[in-house]
Amino acid sequence: GEEHSVPDLTGTEHQRPPSAADDGAADILQQFLTTKEKFHNLVDSEWQSLKGEKAGENEKAKASNETLVEEPDAKKLKLDPEQTSKIGKPDGKRLRGQNKSRPHIKPTTYDEKRLCVSVTQDNRECHFGEKCHFLHDVAEYLSTKSADIGESCYLYDTFGRCAYGLTCRFAKAHTTPDFKTMENAERMKAHEGRTSVKNSLSKELQNRLRKNSVDFKKSAEYLKICLKNILTRLHCEQLQVTPDKHPSVKTVGPLTDEDIIKLRPCEKKQVDFRDKLYLAPLTTCGNLPFRRVCKRFGADITCGEMAMCTNLLQGQQSEWALLKRHESEDIFGVQVEGCFPDTMTRCAELINNNTDVDFVDINSGCPIDLVYKKGGGCGLMTRTRKFEEIIKGMNYVLDVPLTVKIRTGVQQKSSIAHKLIPEMKKWGVSMVTLHGRSREQRYTKLADWDYIATCSKLASPVPLFGNGDILSYEDAMKARETGVSGIMIARGALIKPWIFTEIKESRHWDISSSERFDILRDFTNFGLEHWGSDTRGVEKTRTFMLEWLSFMCRYIPVGLLERVPQKINERPPYYTGRDYLESLMASQNVGDWVRISEMLLGPVPKNFNFLPKHKANAYK
């Protein structure tokens, strides 16, 4: 009755235990298999030989630094429910890996002394005068500034000007000997009048939101009707008659209750969702630079990360950043989360009037406690009257289609999506995305594609997208056979963003380590453009890259597999790649992800601290 670990795949150098396939490990050609110790010795020794003695000293210093977390232990096999109930957990709770106590350091803390914006922006006069906390002496700032990362600045090379001036970590590329920032007029002219990123929050709108002076005219109309309906229902209950039997009141004028709640479909902007590849709205990892990478590989539909409607209504800059849209995103939506009809309707009207989006998505699938316990995310699936009011309200104020993302249900053995989908059709949803797992499952067990197929028939003619466990074009072909209108890809895109190309070209791409490194380089450049090329921006880019690498390291190159394709629930055993970079990218160790980031973004700061947000539950 005791829990037992996954057998070590590395008993001898090139032998796999007979039961490896049953243990959830991917089948890799024997000549590439190795042991944990040999794998790390190889990665460490080659890294030191590449970087020379200096790197060796840095590694020793890093080894003594306790802020980097060691590689996690091998996942344990999940036992039968009968066995598990005998054992019990020490605190009586199921392990869920939410990782709430992880350390967090703000990127601003990596700068010892920061230069005042007035100096970087053509030596303007500082509004704060002597009260300013930042440096105004350029020589003093440069004496404490971290060393430059590289010889050329991506922002200067692309746009002809770097807005970060002296604070840029590539400043030598565009700074004159007398500390002036250079400009390239020709490149600047090529980008003149072009806005590559839309949907930023203006100061004017932020102030209006904070002063509660934004007019939500349409939302107020809808909420009046909701209130009237509630009062009618209460009145009917008192009279002990159903609302249908209650005598209807004829209204004078062009507007009726039916007009308000049922918006004519012809008034909506139409989006053709069918047969598209949809990159899921991924919290933390689905940022704008990552979406740009996926667009290059053929993603058709992209969506911003989940945004909390209350934070958007309060004008929080960090939440509004999740709505930003790059010019390469031709079909783009935003995803909002909330649990009350009034706030969700106002939020939809705010988005409709102040952003450029092709659709708005309601998150009714988020499993995290923070969201679920207040009735949002998956919680909406069990609160159908609230859900109906939210959908109808948002639909009333939006000029673009309204979509919904749901799971099969809350409990593993009690699916409710099939009951909810026919109702959502009546409420006016333009598209439904179904993740084939319940809230209780999180990411354990395989997605139920038979159930997705059933729901797809119920949803017709409303398009239904299926989501879950797609990591190859073969998985995508099987998914399409279920009759879904399209496919949403989430973790598959994080593990290998070129999956969109594989699906469109019906092939398994044996991508080289240098090509994968080029993808990371593109992400780095997009990150510097999005978050900035100063220390703050560099460290923000690094953090998001490390979060992504915690998924990307699960990819096993096609040329190393004994059986193609790799399945999403298969754990990579320890293996050596065909070259050093391929081995380094296969490491599950945070320290090795940091090494990869250092190859692109220079050495980490002294007080650097990182623990991945994502602790995978997928291989249990």
Side-chain angles (χ1 to χ4, degrees), residues 426-489:
K426 295 176 196 169
W427 300 340
V429 164
S430 296
M431 194 256 278
V432 178
T433 307
L434 177 58
H435 182 169
R437 293 183 183 84
S438 64
R439 173 185 187 258
E440 200 174 64
Q441 281 174 278
R442 291 292 173 99
Y443 297 96
T444 60
K445 293 195 171 62
L446 294 175
D448 188 346
W449 276 90
D450 292 334
Y451 183 69
I452 291 174
T454 305
C455 290
S456 180
K457 291 183 183 77
L458 290 170
S460 184
V462 172
L464 184 135
F465 272 55
N467 171 225
D469 300 337
I470 292 167
L471 192 62
S472 67
Y473 88 86
E474 287 178 23
D475 294 335
M477 281 165 61
K478 283 176 192 164
R480 279 182 172 148
E481 286 165 13
T482 62
V484 292
S485 304
I487 299 161
M488 175 183 270
I489 300 170

Side-chain angles (χ1 to χ4, degrees), residues 202-217:
S202 68
K203 270 284 172 215
E204 182 264 335
L205 178 59
Q206 187 178 43
N207 290 334
R208 279 167 56 216
L209 285 167
R210 287 176 175 175
K211 290 174 182 174
N212 288 328
S213 62
V214 176
D215 184 20
F216 295 104
K217 191 181 172 186

Side-chain angles (χ1 to χ4, degrees), residues 19-32:
S19 61
D22 303 327
D23 294 330
D27 293 329
I28 287 183
L29 292 166
Q30 291 194 5
Q31 64 263 35
F32 296 108

Side-chain angles (χ1 to χ4, degrees), residues 66 80 85 118 175 244 246 295 301 309 342 382 387 426 462 481 486 505 552 566:
E66 292 177 2
D80 295 331
S85 60
S118 64
T175 306
D244 294 333
H246 193 264
K295 280 302 292 182
I301 305 170
C309 73
D342 56 344
T382 57
F387 203 5
K426 295 176 196 169
V462 172
E481 286 165 13
E505 297 179 3
M552 216 181 186
Q566 175 189 356

Side-chain angles (χ1 to χ4, degrees), residues 508-565:
H508 298 298
W509 184 356
D510 188 11
I511 192 166
S512 68
S513 59
S514 59
E515 286 173 305
R516 285 164 68 198
F517 191 72
D518 286 341
I519 294 169
L520 290 172
R521 182 177 278 113
D522 283 343
F523 176 82
T524 302
N525 290 335
F526 298 157
L528 295 172
E529 187 181 329
H530 187 59
W531 292 301
S533 60
D534 57 349
T535 298
R536 186 179 181 176
V538 165
E539 294 314 319
K540 237 181 180 179
T541 303
R542 191 194 307 274
T543 302
F544 285 109
M545 183 192 287
L546 293 172
E547 293 285 4
W548 179 19
L549 286 168
S550 74
F551 286 91
M552 216 181 186
C553 65
R554 291 196 217 164
Y555 171 71
I556 304 169
V558 171
L560 274 58
L561 287 168
E562 201 170 83
R563 176 186 46 78
V564 175

